[in-house]
Amino acid sequence: MAEVSRPIVSVIPDDEGKEKFKKSGDVAFYRRQMEGPNLQHRALLDTLVLTETGARFELLEPDTQTKLLLSVSPCKNDTVRILIDEMEPIKARYRVPDVITGELQCEQLRVERRSKLCVSLSWSSGRHQICVWHFPFRLEILCEDKVMVTFNSRSKLWFETLQDPTRRGCEARASSHGSESQEDTLWKETFRQFVDVKANGPSSVGSDLSLHGFSHVFGLPEHADGLQLRDTRDGDAYRLFNLDVFAYDLQSRLGLYGSVPLVLAHKEDRTLGVFWLNASETFVNVHYSPSDHQAGEIPSLRRRRREPQTNVHWLSESGLIDCLVLLGPGPQQVFKQYAQLTGFQALPPLFSLGYHQCRWSYNDEADVRAVDAGFDHHDIPYDAIWLDIEHTDGKRYFTWDPVAFPNPSGLQRHLEDKKRKLVVISDPHIKVDPNWSMYREARDGGHFVKNRDGEIYRGSCWPGESSYLDFSRADTRAWYSRCFGLDKYKGSTSSLFVWNDMNEPSVFDGPEQTMPKDAVHYGGWEHRELHNLYGFYQHMATADGLITRSGGSERPFVLTRSFFAGSQRFGAVWTGDNVASWDYLKVSVPMLLSLSVAGIAFCGADVGGFVQDPDPELLVRWYQVAALQPFFRGHSAKEMKRREPWLFGQEVTDRIRTAITQRYCLLPYWYTLFHQAHTCGLPPLRPLWVEFPTERSAFSADHQFMIGGALLACPVTEAQVKEVNVLLPGSNEVWFDVHSAEEFKGGRTLALPVTLDTVPVFQRGGSVLCRAAGRVSCTADLQLLPLSITVAPNPQGLADGELYLDDGHSFRFRDRKSFSRRRFSFLSDRLICRAAGEGETFECDTVVQTLTVLGLKRKPSSVIVHVNGAEDVSAAFEFLESRSTLTVKDLELRVLTDWEIQMC
């Protein structure tokens, strides 16, 4: 939710025609690096020192005699860390804390070859090597003697050393390699009326990496753009700078609410990642090399030119160079390598995977109760209703409006009686009010960010004049976490959960509507150093607060708008202030895919669009799409018409009910996928290339996606569509329409007729899928429902799948191994249910009631059910020859028991 009552454009000119948000050309450090010389650094090979964690070299830039320290560390999970810092800085440079979750387990290097030109190093089995070249300095990473990645391949290494402000002048110009006319921007930069004073002068860093053999790269959220990153030679670089951008432009590379500086490159036989760990403003240029040779080249060069290559150039305002290369070799390995660095997706409480109903804002307790009753009356399941800023007393968070919400705990108990939750907003700005105890506590405890003059920083946001909590300080985070205690947060209960908004941070009267870069955080760090971490830290403190509230026993749910690498550890993310238009619906798919491959697996977009009013067709299609995405919430601004699902006529209500109900039926599968994300790093929402890494036609597809490995979705995102083209990958695959059970061979594009009731989803041959069978009012009812199993055999007649079960809300799965994983295997016309692990202690009475087998070529003469310790029984079944589908009902088989079903 951004500043209210403003035009629906993302770049808003002021009265003089100046734009609110910067483009790359407006940023001084970007201009310096792009317009400056390519600096010919030398690696001083005779300074090599082998350490327990890798190798160290000195680097020298001859023109300025600047010395840098290069550290190279190979890690045991096939990751290589490249770290460059000043040899002798006047003070420590900012090094991003808290994102990497622990000490990396590094390998020791050994020298394989050494000459005056280069040093070759290897580790472990010797499959990988690192080659450091003397002049011009570059660092190559090889796999089985083939170069995969070259660091500083085009001599873009740039490192502005910190300066003593009392010695400004020639030193600053030399260190930044700029002309005399640039000197003013080295220490002070002006944008519109805002002046940014740089305490230690220019401090930007940058380098390029060449990814050899790759022509498809992905990642770098958050941008409202396609899945595959575009070549930036035709426009702006990708910007990573967290900003409150209302109704953002589409097909844009400008920064949005969150940043993950991770690029993934993929080709048929290899996937790798590049993680640039820097929290300051960052730009990324992507250049794809042509794969065709140029006329007139000699044959050896011609052959070399035919191999594609992608050059990725990183430019950051400050900090140091901390670059981690993830070597794969496949998508699943890269996801796990990244999760081992920054943390795995938190396993969410089950209720948070249901449908959420939100609006800015529900008026009062009676309004909330009426909406809650409306879902029951119209037989539409949902799990949580949300309150925006108006629920508070004068925009003071952790309070309640005494007139509109006089009995908040009673309201929560009313919802809890129905096993539903309340979610409230909590923003990072604190109203300047000396009469308010929370403000006084924060002020007296030193919990606010300061301005460059050492006074408490003040800016404008929803409450008016506000100060901003310094979440980078551990003591501040701990204080904030304690504010969620039931004794502190009056009117709250254990069924209350939290939504962090405006945490880029948004400052209505600040530069680019955010905090000035020269504001000062705990430890004397300027805001410029850690801007992109601000929302990450609030998200962390909020999740910790909810965990602390329960004494460490209950999983939290926290939604955040702003995020960074590692935010997946704390909860969910959404794509911010979108618009009710078909273009925004369409772009939500690649936006969420980009978030997913960058580790932010629990993500979604506001159903129906935050601003403007959707027509009924758009609203229905949006529900259909969002029901197939991880986080599922309807939300709208207060100026918009009410948008509860039953306000658009019976046909629309029926279609929305169907979409939401199908989501709830699929929750056993979604929950299993989130357990995989939590343990393996695999996102539930996947681009096609993740599951079909050798299928080139799938590399750029971003209008359809996989849900896990079993379901392919191609939702309708355009108006009045009568037919959609669905790419069914894999020439050796078969696919089954989940609605008609019709079988289709893979390796083709299917022209599928659609109506407004059609949601194209296909089950992959070779999979076994569990659904909840029956209707519920919320997720708490799911464990009372039986399961329906659908088997989709592959061409060899095989299939398998898994189901994850636990209590859905506590940490007992972690602390007491109170969970169960069941594996379903189908072979030789036999379905086998067995435990997928050992020592698991979860107990439940869930039963499998129905079995459906798709693509069965013949009608069996009988179906025999065998349960360990019991006599075999013959089960009644139906066989629909026209669809080659077998259905067995009334099974009542406990899912935690071992059993088999044989088709004879």
Side-chain angles (χ1 to χ4, degrees):
M1 178 177 60
E3 187 179 0
V4 68
S5 301
R6 55 190 192 179
I8 300 175
V9 292
S10 67
V11 179
I12 305 168
D14 65 12
D15 293 339
E16 299 176 0
K18 296 179 181 177
E19 290 184 344
K20 173 180 286 192
F21 301 113
K22 295 179 183 179
K23 295 185 177 179
S24 54
D26 299 318
V27 179
F29 82 82
Y30 181 85
R31 294 197 306 268
R32 288 198 304 274
Q33 292 201 38
M34 294 301 292
E35 297 168 5
N38 280 9
L39 305 174
Q40 301 294 307
H41 288 83
R42 299 173 186 267
L44 306 182
L45 301 184
D46 58 354
T47 65
L48 166 65
V49 176
L50 297 179
T51 70
E52 286 184 327
T53 59
R56 297 170 61 181
F57 295 85
E58 292 180 17
L59 304 179
L60 175 68
E61 202 289 297
D63 290 346
T64 62
Q65 291 297 298
T66 299
K67 279 192 173 182
L68 304 173
L69 181 63
L70 164 69
S71 300
V72 185
S73 301
C75 304
K76 291 187 177 180
N77 63 345
D78 284 340
T79 298
V80 175
R81 189 175 201 172
I82 302 167
L83 193 67
I84 300 178
D85 199 354
E86 297 185 44
M87 277 290 294
E88 297 179 351
I90 61 170
K91 67 175 188 177
R93 297 178 72 107
Y94 189 76
R95 187 167 180 169
V96 175
D98 301 315
V99 169
I100 291 182
T101 55
E103 287 294 322
L104 301 184
Q105 293 185 317
C106 297
E107 303 262 18
Q108 289 187 292
L109 287 165
R110 60 181 179 269
V111 176
E112 293 287 343
R113 291 182 298 278
R114 188 169 189 164
S115 70
K116 292 182 179 179
L117 298 178
C118 67
V119 173
S120 292
L121 306 163
S122 66
W123 66 97
S124 191
S125 66
R127 191 165 63 96
H128 293 104
Q129 290 188 339
I130 293 169
C131 187
V132 179
W133 291 85
H134 164 56
F135 184 79
F137 160 66
R138 65 188 187 276
L139 185 153
E140 295 173 338
I141 301 175
L142 301 85
C143 180
E144 296 174 346
D145 297 324
K146 184 174 183 180
V147 178
M148 294 189 300
V149 178
T150 303
F151 179 87
N152 198 41
S153 62
R154 295 179 297 154
S155 296
K156 297 293 185 183
L157 177 60
W158 187 280
F159 206 107
E160 295 175 331
T161 57
L162 301 180
Q163 301 297 319
D164 184 341
T166 65
R167 302 180 63 189
R168 293 174 57 176
C170 61
E171 284 189 5
R173 288 195 297 275
S175 73
S176 66
H177 313 279
S179 66
E180 183 139 3
S181 62
Q182 293 176 317
E183 183 180 351
D184 287 346
T185 65
L186 300 180
W187 291 83
K188 185 171 67 175
E189 192 171 350
T190 301
F191 179 70
R192 299 175 72 192
Q193 75 271 30
F194 302 103
V195 178
D196 172 23
V197 177
K198 304 170 187 179
N200 288 103
S203 57
S204 74
V205 299
S207 188
D208 65 287
L209 294 94
S210 289
L211 313 178
H212 301 284
F214 293 92
S215 56
H216 295 83
V217 295
F218 311 91
L220 293 184
E222 183 176 36
H223 298 94
D225 208 351
L227 174 62
Q228 181 177 347
L229 299 179
R230 291 184 286 162
D231 193 299
T232 58
R233 279 175 284 205
D234 63 351
D236 276 314
Y238 286 95
R239 189 185 189 197
L240 298 175
F241 189 66
N242 297 353
L243 291 169
D244 175 4
V245 186
F246 178 77
Y248 40 84
D249 285 338
L250 303 183
Q251 283 71 58
S252 171
R253 301 165 200 164
L254 301 182
L256 292 180
Y257 310 97
S259 301
V260 181
L262 174 69
V263 164
L264 293 97
H266 179 72
K267 58 181 179 177
E268 288 95 328
D269 61 348
R270 170 75 64 169
T271 308
L272 59 80
V274 177
F275 178 42
W276 181 266
L277 183 53
N278 191 298
S280 68
E281 180 179 10
T282 296
F283 290 92
V284 187
N285 276 307
V286 177
H287 292 173
Y288 294 105
S289 68
S291 58
D292 296 328
H293 68 272
Q294 296 177 357
E297 291 177 335
I298 61 175
S300 61
L301 288 178
R302 185 181 307 142
R303 285 195 298 272
R304 192 171 183 178
R305 284 291 184 98
R306 283 177 180 159
E307 183 181 55
Q309 176 176 301
T310 300
N311 298 312
V312 182
H313 184 194
W314 303 83
L315 311 88
S316 294
E317 183 177 14
S318 198
L320 43 72
I321 292 175
D322 192 354
C323 180
L324 296 107
V325 180
L326 318 177
L327 299 177
Q332 295 189 10
Q333 289 79 26
V334 168
F335 291 141
K336 188 165 188 178
Q337 288 158 0
Y338 179 70
Q340 288 171 334
L341 288 174
T342 65
F344 290 84
Q345 174 68 53
L347 182 62
L350 180 60
F351 88 84
S352 64
L353 298 181
Y355 176 64
H356 301 253
Q357 182 66 33
C358 186
R359 177 175 173 79
W360 179 28
S361 189
Y362 286 117
N363 301 321
D364 50 32
E365 291 180 6
D367 196 7
V368 173
R369 288 172 182 260
V371 173
D372 173 68
F375 278 91
D376 291 333
H377 177 74
H378 293 279
D379 195 22
I380 301 173
Y382 92 106
D383 264 84
I385 191 163
W386 294 47
L387 297 179
D388 214 310
I389 54 177
E390 275 77 15
H391 85 276
T392 63
D393 183 5
K395 314 297 190 299
R396 297 170 182 85
Y397 304 106
F398 300 93
T399 70
W400 304 86
D401 183 298
V403 175
F405 294 92
N407 186 16
S409 57
L411 177 64
Q412 291 161 69
R413 286 193 296 270
H414 171 78
L415 295 170
E416 182 62 24
D417 287 344
K418 299 182 176 185
K419 300 178 182 177
R420 291 171 178 154
K421 318 298 181 187
L422 185 69
V423 182
V424 296
I425 200 165
S426 186
D427 293 348
H429 49 262
I430 301 296
K431 180 181 178 67
V432 175
D433 178 4
N435 295 318
W436 179 26
S437 61
M438 184 172 184
Y439 172 79
R440 292 196 306 272
E441 279 187 42
R443 179 196 62 195
D444 298 344
H447 296 312
F448 287 130
V449 177
K450 294 181 170 62
N451 62 26
R452 63 176 178 245
D453 298 319
E455 303 296 327
I456 292 176
Y457 170 73
R458 292 184 177 184
S460 174
C461 208
W462 295 122
E465 189 174 42
S466 303
S467 291
Y468 288 74
L469 292 171
D470 185 2
F471 291 106
S472 71
R473 182 187 181 202
D475 286 350
T476 298
R477 294 197 300 273
W479 170 83
Y480 185 76
S481 295
R482 290 192 294 270
C483 290
F484 290 97
L486 299 180
D487 58 331
K488 292 275 288 184
Y489 191 174
K490 303 300 182 184
S492 69
T493 72
S494 59
S495 63
L496 183 78
F497 296 87
V498 184
W499 166 25
N500 294 153
D501 195 6
M502 312 298 283
N503 54 344
E504 294 73 30
S506 180
V507 183
F508 292 160
D509 57 352
E512 299 193 89
Q513 199 169 306
T514 193
M515 187 176 287
K517 291 180 176 179
D518 55 10
V520 180
H521 290 262
Y522 178 74
W525 295 112
E526 287 186 297
H527 184 69
R528 79 181 74 255
E529 305 279 4
L530 53 90
H531 172 82
N532 287 342
L533 283 175
Y534 189 87
F536 165 92
Y537 275 130
Q538 189 198 12
H539 199 195
M540 174 193 289
T542 306
D544 286 349
L546 297 187
I547 293 171
T548 302
R549 181 183 72 182
S550 72
S553 64
E554 296 295 311
R555 286 175 247 168
F557 170 71
V558 186
L559 178 74
T560 184
R561 189 171 72 177
S562 186
F563 56 88
F564 191 68
S567 289
Q568 66 270 11
R569 309 197 304 259
F570 313 125
V573 163
W574 95 105
T575 60
D577 296 342
N578 58 357
V579 178
S581 77
W582 288 96
D583 288 340
Y584 278 82
L585 170 59
K586 190 171 187 176
V587 83
S588 72
V589 175
M591 287 182 76
L592 298 183
L593 289 172
S594 293
L595 284 164
S596 295
V597 299
I600 310 292
F602 197 6
C603 55
D606 284 343
V607 176
F610 177 65
V611 290
Q612 296 188 352
D613 295 312
D615 62 51
E617 182 191 5
L618 174 59
L619 187 63
V620 166
R621 288 301 192 196
W622 212 313
Y623 270 98
Q624 292 171 346
V625 174
L628 299 171
Q629 295 170 340
F631 177 62
F632 187 19
R633 180 182 77 155
H635 185 38
S636 60
K638 62 183 178 181
E639 296 92 344
M640 305 304 112
K641 297 175 183 177
R642 294 288 289 248
R643 207 185 285 171
E644 285 75 39
W646 50 86
L647 298 179
F648 298 84
Q650 190 60 47
E651 288 187 359
V652 172
T653 301
D654 291 345
R655 289 180 173 123
I656 293 175
R657 180 191 301 110
T658 296
I660 295 176
T661 299
Q662 289 177 350
R663 163 63 169 232
Y664 277 76
C665 288
L666 204 55
L667 281 180
Y669 180 58
W670 275 107
Y671 198 51
T672 300
L673 293 178
F674 267 95
H675 179 256
Q676 290 180 6
H678 179 65
T679 55
C680 304
L682 271 173
L685 202 69
R686 303 170 192 171
L688 297 188
W689 59 263
V690 171
E691 289 294 320
F692 302 93
T694 63
E695 188 114 351
R696 286 192 63 86
S697 61
F699 290 1
S700 300
D702 62 6
H703 64 288
Q704 57 185 79
F705 50 87
M706 296 294 294
I707 304 172
L711 292 179
L712 182 149
C714 184
V716 179
T717 57
E718 296 179 349
Q720 299 179 346
V721 169
K722 304 299 182 186
E723 183 179 90
V724 295
N725 292 321
V726 184
L727 173 63
L728 298 176
S731 57
N732 296 320
E733 302 269 351
V734 292
W735 298 88
F736 298 88
D737 186 310
V738 299
H739 305 294
S740 68
E742 187 174 357
E743 180 177 344
F744 299 94
K745 184 171 173 54
R748 59 178 288 198
T749 297
L750 172 69
L752 184 72
V754 296
T755 69
L756 193 51
D757 295 306
T758 308
V759 185
V761 179
F762 297 83
Q763 185 171 347
R764 183 180 184 178
S767 66
V768 178
L769 200 64
C770 293
R771 292 180 175 86
R775 303 184 72 86
V776 296
S777 63
C778 63
T779 54
D781 297 338
L782 281 176
Q783 292 182 342
L784 305 176
L785 289 183
L787 295 173
S788 171
I789 293 180
T790 303
V791 176
N794 65 14
Q796 292 74 43
L798 307 176
D800 64 77
E802 192 169 298
L803 176 68
Y804 173 80
L805 298 152
D806 67 17
D807 64 18
H809 62 86
S810 80
F811 283 114
R812 283 191 285 271
F813 76 94
R814 179 195 67 191
D815 301 333
R816 303 180 188 175
K817 215 173 181 181
S818 180
F819 63 88
S820 180
R821 291 177 300 133
R822 304 296 295 177
R823 175 162 295 280
F824 302 93
S825 303
F826 185 80
L827 68 165
S828 303
D829 291 338
R830 179 193 301 261
L831 179 66
I832 303 170
C833 173
R834 294 287 187 271
E838 295 180 358
E840 300 164 358
T841 64
F842 182 68
E843 290 290 336
C844 68
D845 295 323
T846 302
V847 298
V848 173
Q849 187 177 69
T850 305
L851 168 66
T852 301
V853 182
L854 307 175
L856 203 60
K857 303 308 179 187
R858 63 172 183 84
K859 179 180 179 180
S861 58
S862 63
V863 174
I864 305 298
V865 178
H866 170 75
V867 180
N868 285 358
E871 292 186 5
D872 292 355
V873 297
S874 179
F877 65 92
E878 298 175 0
F879 183 76
L880 190 59
E881 190 169 357
S882 62
R883 294 188 178 183
S884 302
T885 300
L886 172 80
T887 303
V888 185
K889 298 180 179 179
D890 303 322
L891 287 168
E892 302 298 321
L893 295 169
R894 286 192 72 226
V895 75
L896 298 185
T897 300
D898 293 350
W899 45 260
E900 300 177 7
I901 300 176
Q902 176 72 57
M903 283 129 260
C904 303

